């Protein structure tokens, strides 16, 4: 019997730091290159960015013979169909995922949730509380760091430590880093983050 899928979200309360990009990268890497079965629930209501990208890709492929040939060759080489992208408002995201998992013969190993750029959207915090793991991207901008730390501490102290969330881990990570410019500012931020008892991925 296949175990229940992991629920994973890239989330923070600041928009524009790469949540959707990392959702697509992680889902695609694990699905196409590592052989896991993946599904994505696009909760970024109302724009549904991932579903929109998928739709544009499909329209491009269907209207151009060269793209059609390239897509066929790619999926034949990879031996996998495209992973499903399910649209849902945040408050219904878990029900959408559960319905998909229950209705498919091949249960996904991982379901990724692309969350809105604000915790104020209906159902976001409740949906996040059902994640197994949350990854929070942040850039070395004071406002972004403060906002991300506020989110992480609130979620940990009010939901994880009280048992109201089933989340096993919440990890911060740097994004938009130019390796040539990485400087002491990151070390200072990481010292503060460590003092707060939060984890930052090392790479």
């Amino acid at each position: 019997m296949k175990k229940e899928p992991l629920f994973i979200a890239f989330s923070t309360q600041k928009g524009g730091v790469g949540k959707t990009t990392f959702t697509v990268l992680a889902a695609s890497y694990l699905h196409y290159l590592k052989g896991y079965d993946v599904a994505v629930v696009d909760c970024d209501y109302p724009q549904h960015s991932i579903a929109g990208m998928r739709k544009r890709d499909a329209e491009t492929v269907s209207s151009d013979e060269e793209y059609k040939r390239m897509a066929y060759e790619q999926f034949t080489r990879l031996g996998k169909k495209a992973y499903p992208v399910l649209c849902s408002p945040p408050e219904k995201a878990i029900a959408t995922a559960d319905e998909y998992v229950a209705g498919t013969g091949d249960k996904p190993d991982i379901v990724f949730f692309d969350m809105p750029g604000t915790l104020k959207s209906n159902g976001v915090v409740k949906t996040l509380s059902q994640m197994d793991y949350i990854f929070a991207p942040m850039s070395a901008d004071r406002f972004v760091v403060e906002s991300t730390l506020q989110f992480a501490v609130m979620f940990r102290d009010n939901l994880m430590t009280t048992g109201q969330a089933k989340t096993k881990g919440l990890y911060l990570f740097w994004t938009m880093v130019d390796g040539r410019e990485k400087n002491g500012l990151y070390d200072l931020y990481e010292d503060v983050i460590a003092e707060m008892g939060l984890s930052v991925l090392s790479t």
Side-chain angles (χ1 to χ4, degrees):
M1 186 173 126
K2 202 169 182 183
K3 63 182 182 181
E4 290 301 304
L6 284 176
F7 283 6
I8 295 176
F10 288 91
S11 183
T12 180
Q13 59 180 355
K14 183 73 183 73
V17 290
K19 294 186 295 291
T20 297
T21 300
F22 279 103
T23 300
V24 171
L25 286 172
S28 299
Y29 176 75
L30 292 170
H31 184 77
Y32 298 119
L33 298 180
K34 290 299 178 181
Y36 292 96
D37 289 324
V38 167
V40 171
V41 181
D42 186 344
C43 315
D44 196 8
Y45 181 83
Q47 62 266 29
H48 293 303
S49 306
I50 297 176
M53 285 188 280
R54 176 66 65 81
K55 184 181 177 193
R56 286 190 297 276
D57 286 347
E59 288 170 352
T60 301
V61 167
S62 65
S63 65
D64 186 295
E65 288 303 316
E66 180 63 12
Y67 279 121
K68 200 176 289 184
R69 182 191 62 76
M70 289 166 61
Y72 174 78
E73 287 178 1
Q74 177 176 309
F75 287 120
T76 301
R77 186 177 72 252
L78 294 170
K80 294 201 82 164
K81 294 188 293 188
Y83 53 81
V85 176
L86 316 166
C87 290
S88 174
E91 67 272 20
K92 295 181 180 174
I94 299 300
T96 298
D98 287 342
E99 191 177 305
Y100 173 76
V101 170
T104 183
D106 298 320
K107 277 189 181 179
D109 300 296
I110 305 165
V111 179
F112 286 97
F113 293 76
D114 184 36
M115 305 303 294
T118 174
L119 297 182
K120 293 177 183 172
S121 296
N122 281 345
V124 169
V125 174
K126 186 174 181 184
T127 296
L128 286 175
S129 73
Q130 297 306 302
M131 295 299 111
D132 292 294
Y133 296 96
I134 297 171
F135 296 91
M138 60 184 176
S139 59
D141 168 272
R142 182 180 170 187
F143 180 73
V144 172
V145 171
E146 287 179 359
S147 172
T148 304
L149 294 181
Q150 183 182 27
F151 156 70
V153 169
M154 177 283 295
F155 192 86
R156 180 194 65 194
D157 293 351
N158 295 328
L159 295 168
M160 289 175 70
T161 58
T162 62
Q164 292 182 61
K166 74 172 206 173
T167 310
K168 302 176 187 78
L170 190 160
Y171 303 96
L172 312 177
F173 68 96
W174 296 111
T175 183
M176 304 177 193
V177 177
D178 184 334
R180 296 165 301 181
E181 295 178 359
K182 190 165 181 183
N183 52 43
L185 181 62
Y186 288 91
D187 296 329
L188 289 172
Y189 278 138
E190 289 191 9
D191 287 343
V192 171
I193 291 167
E195 286 174 15
M196 298 174 80
L198 297 167
S199 301
V200 183
L201 298 180
S202 61
T203 183

